[in-house]
Amino acid sequence: MALHAESEFACIVNLSELHRLTIRKKIIRKKRPFNLHGSKNIYKLLGISKADAIKMAQNIENYYRSYPIKKSSGKLRWIDAPQNQLKKCQRDILERILYQFRPHQGAVGFVKNIGVKDGAKRHLGNKVVLCVDVHDFFGSLSLFQVYAAFGYMLRKLTETHKSFKYTKEDVELLVKLTTYKAHVPQGAPTSPALANIICRQLDRELQAVADHDNLVYTRYADDISFSHKNKQFKITKIIEPIKKILAYYGLKLNRAKTRVLRPHKRMCITGVVINDKLSVPKYVWRNIRAQLHNLIKYKRTLTLEESQKLRGKIEWIGIFRPLLKANFLGQLGKITLTS
């Protein structure tokens, strides 16, 4: 007898068959029909020839550019950025395959129609917050998990569209097109959504931890947050269960970034202040204001890349302060761009 699709996926990716905690809230969501645009195989679905897909997969190292960026800690994080042809293919995989599958409701990052503001809003008004970070999140996701995730998704597509067919080689090809150097690359457009699919069972178990003590749970990629309405709640007691659950799935909690936040200080989740209302930390918009002031005062210029980066920060501020965004964009428009 065939296993239920969710149970089958859980077994394939080596997930536990019994939840450590069974108290959980049932959330009923309307299922969306899969849209395959009349395609009968993954190549038609992605709008790419099989030969071109195989060529990219066999020479994948030629389609990435790797470079370091400095983290706030001063350490370097390596970004593996796909080049245009591969990036287009990955975006098609994202839109036409990955986005057709719902992640767990606790996943609030890189989900269509759900933003960082929506995730932070769930914690608004709570009086104690636990923020934990997963060490090397994308690099810790295995090829086996990626293979299992794509196998699960393609099986689901064939269940609802009998004319759609796939082979083991097609699954392997999708894995090669979305991984690099045996890991999920940080920099590929497919990586966050693919991670959400892989982590659905992980999210269920962390949600069960939250439900047991009436906590709110969200995960934005590698940033995990729990909160409680009672500031006296001993939220640190769930750190060990979290650590064990993460370890079961090959993930490691970053103790250096584990924080407990309470109302007497700024409580910030994924860059959003949640003390009394959703807002951007003052230092963020004040830094942008000072930067724009100096650029205009001293008639300095920006490259297109620098301008786009600054605009991205302004757009982020605008989610919470639209009038300030308009003011900042007006100032940005006065700054000369250089090649």
Side-chain angles (χ1 to χ4, degrees):
M1 182 180 295
L3 291 170
H4 185 277
E6 292 290 346
S7 300
E8 182 181 10
F9 177 62
C11 293
I12 290 171
V13 294
N14 195 28
L15 308 179
S16 64
E17 296 179 5
L18 294 175
H19 298 299
R20 293 172 177 82
L21 296 168
T22 57
I23 302 174
R24 58 182 68 232
K25 298 174 184 176
K26 296 292 184 180
I27 296 179
I28 300 174
R29 293 183 295 184
K30 185 178 180 181
K31 290 185 178 181
R32 297 172 300 176
F34 298 122
N35 186 355
L36 300 187
H37 308 281
S39 304
K40 295 185 178 181
N41 56 59
I42 65 167
Y43 309 102
K44 293 292 185 180
L45 180 61
L46 300 177
I48 188 173
S49 71
K50 185 174 182 177
D52 286 343
I54 292 174
K55 180 182 177 182
M56 278 194 292
Q58 290 178 341
N59 301 279
I60 202 71
E61 66 279 356
N62 297 330
Y63 292 89
Y64 277 97
R65 180 172 69 91
S66 300
Y67 58 89
I69 60 172
K70 187 175 288 187
K71 299 192 288 186
S72 57
S73 63
K75 295 181 180 180
L76 297 179
R77 172 186 287 124
W78 280 90
I79 301 296
D80 298 313
Q83 299 303 291
N84 290 338
Q85 186 179 0
L86 177 59
K87 183 186 289 187
K88 180 186 181 305
C89 180
Q90 289 176 341
R91 283 177 174 164
D92 289 335
I93 293 172
L94 175 67
E95 292 290 337
R96 301 178 187 180
I97 298 179
L98 296 175
Y99 273 164
Q100 298 211 52
F101 291 83
R102 289 186 183 276
H104 184 269
Q105 65 268 17
V108 295
F110 310 98
V111 181
K112 270 197 170 183
N113 303 318
I114 296 178
V116 65
K117 184 176 180 179
D118 301 294
K121 189 176 181 179
R122 298 183 193 179
H123 299 274
L124 183 62
N126 283 355
K127 303 303 181 183
V128 58
V129 175
L130 173 67
C131 295
V132 300
D133 178 85
V134 179
H135 175 72
D136 190 23
F137 177 63
F138 291 108
S140 299
L141 301 176
S142 70
L143 289 177
F144 179 69
Q145 289 173 307
V146 176
Y147 184 93
F150 276 117
Y152 161 75
M153 287 184 279
L154 292 185
R155 277 193 299 277
K156 287 293 291 181
L157 294 181
T158 59
E159 287 175 12
T160 56
H161 294 73
K162 300 302 182 182
S163 62
F164 184 83
K165 305 294 181 183
Y166 75 96
T167 65
K168 176 182 176 182
E169 288 70 28
D170 294 336
V171 180
E172 292 173 349
L173 188 65
L174 287 172
V175 173
K176 290 177 181 178
L177 291 173
T178 54
T179 59
Y180 181 56
K181 295 182 178 178
H183 70 264
V184 176
Q186 189 162 353
T190 45
S191 294
L194 181 55
N196 281 342
I197 300 300
I198 291 171
C199 290
R200 290 205 301 187
Q201 185 67 14
L202 167 70
D203 287 327
R204 291 189 187 99
E205 295 204 25
L206 292 176
Q207 183 69 61
V209 172
D211 291 346
H212 186 266
D213 286 304
N214 295 315
L215 292 153
V216 175
Y217 163 70
T218 58
R219 181 181 59 80
Y220 188 96
D222 58 349
D223 292 323
I224 297 172
S225 302
F226 292 85
S227 67
H228 198 280
K229 61 184 178 181
N230 183 356
K231 67 179 180 181
Q232 302 302 326
F233 177 75
K234 191 178 179 181
I235 202 164
T236 53
K237 75 175 187 177
I238 67 171
I239 292 177
E240 281 306 308
I242 293 170
K243 184 178 177 181
K244 290 178 181 178
I245 292 170
L246 290 174
Y248 186 87
Y249 296 106
L251 301 173
K252 184 179 180 181
L253 184 148
N254 187 341
R255 291 304 294 260
K257 291 187 177 182
T258 299
R259 299 171 294 131
V260 175
L261 310 172
R262 298 185 189 277
H264 65 281
K265 291 186 178 180
R266 183 178 64 226
M267 297 196 298
C268 201
I269 292 178
T270 57
V272 182
V273 178
I274 63 161
N275 290 62
D276 300 311
K277 63 178 182 179
L278 299 182
S279 62
V280 180
K282 288 182 180 179
Y283 76 88
V284 173
W285 61 263
R286 283 176 175 172
N287 285 345
I288 299 297
R289 183 180 64 183
Q291 188 176 352
L292 290 168
H293 173 77
N294 289 332
L295 285 166
I296 293 172
K297 181 178 179 179
Y298 298 106
K299 298 181 180 179
R300 293 171 180 166
T301 61
L302 292 172
T303 64
L304 178 60
E305 184 177 358
E306 290 171 335
S307 178
Q308 289 174 338
K309 186 176 181 180
L310 187 53
R311 185 185 181 95
K313 294 179 179 179
I314 294 171
E315 293 287 351
W316 160 255
I317 292 170
I319 295 173
F320 308 93
R321 301 194 59 178
L323 294 180
L324 192 59
K325 167 189 168 181
N327 181 287
F328 283 171
L329 287 178
Q331 293 182 54
L332 182 62
K334 297 176 183 178
I335 299 168
T336 303
L337 297 181
T338 57
S339 56

